[in-house]
Amino acid sequence: MKTVFDKTTRDELTGRIATLNENSKAAWGKMNVYQALKHCTLWDEWVQSDKDNKQAFIGRLFGRMVLKKVLKDEAPLARNTPTLPELRIKETSGDIESEKKKWIALISEYAHFSNPSFVHPFFGKMTKEQVGQMAYKHADHHLRQFNA
C-alpha cells in the first residue's frame, strides 16, 4: 500500500501536483483547481498539526469499520467522498502557484512526521501507518479529480 512516508511516493505526488494549472478542469465534484489545492494544503496542515481533534459520535459507531474498508487495498477513494465542513473552501479564486508550493512543501514534511496523537473526527485515533496511507489516498483522490 502506498504511503506518504515513502520518498518515492512523495516524489510521485509532488510531480503530479506540479502539473496542475489554472486550466486544470475537474473530472467530478464541485471544487475548481484552486479550491482543491487550498483544501489539500489545509488537510495536510491539519494532519501534521497537534490540534486536539475529537471523534464525532457517528465516527465512534462506524469510523473504524469504514477506515478498515478504505485502507484494505490500493483502490482510490470514491468520487464525491464527503469532506469535513472546516475543510470546505468557499473562495473560488486565489494564487494557484502559491498553493501548489505550499502543498508540495507539506508533502515533503511527511518525511519528518511526528503526530502520534492524531485523531480523525470520523475515523478516530489512527496509527502512523494509517495516516501515511490515508494521506496518500487523499492526495491521489484530488489529483485524479484533475487528471494529474
Side-chain angles (χ1 to χ4, degrees):
M1 178 92 55
K2 287 191 174 186
T3 175
V4 293
F5 300 130
D6 176 65
K7 183 178 181 341
T8 304
T9 301
R10 288 193 308 274
D11 291 346
E12 170 211 323
L13 289 173
T14 57
R16 290 168 66 191
I17 293 166
T19 68
L20 296 171
N21 62 54
E22 63 279 349
N23 297 317
S24 298
K25 301 291 181 223
W28 73 82
K30 298 176 182 175
M31 286 191 247
N32 66 30
V33 69
Y34 170 75
Q35 290 170 313
L37 286 164
K38 182 78 174 176
H39 164 80
C40 289
T41 59
L42 289 175
W43 194 91
D44 285 313
E45 286 173 345
W46 167 66
V47 170
Q48 294 179 35
S49 77
D50 58 1
K51 183 178 180 212
D52 186 24
N53 299 306
K54 303 283 187 234
Q55 188 176 17
F57 178 71
I58 189 86
R60 284 183 284 192
L61 295 175
F62 301 107
R64 292 292 218 196
M65 179 177 57
V66 174
L67 180 64
K68 186 175 179 180
K69 182 180 179 199
V70 167
L71 297 180
K72 74 177 171 95
D73 58 29
E74 296 280 342
L77 294 177
R79 292 181 176 196
N80 300 310
T81 299
T83 191
L84 300 169
E86 57 269 27
L87 297 178
R88 291 188 184 125
I89 309 303
K90 290 180 175 58
E91 59 269 14
T92 58
S93 64
D95 188 343
I96 289 172
E97 289 304 314
S98 174
E99 289 303 320
K100 284 171 47 175
K101 287 178 186 171
K102 280 191 230 174
W103 193 17
I104 288 169
L106 286 162
I107 295 291
S108 297
E109 281 301 308
Y110 280 110
H112 312 289
F113 181 79
S114 179
N115 189 2
S117 61
F118 178 71
V119 176
H120 188 281
F122 183 73
F123 300 131
K125 183 147 177 50
M126 296 172 66
T127 66
K128 182 177 179 180
E129 180 183 29
Q130 290 169 328
V131 169
Q133 292 169 349
M134 182 58 77
Y136 171 77
K137 283 195 173 218
H138 182 260
D140 176 66
H141 172 76
H142 288 290
L143 290 166
R144 284 176 190 263
Q145 183 180 12
F146 289 90
N147 299 308

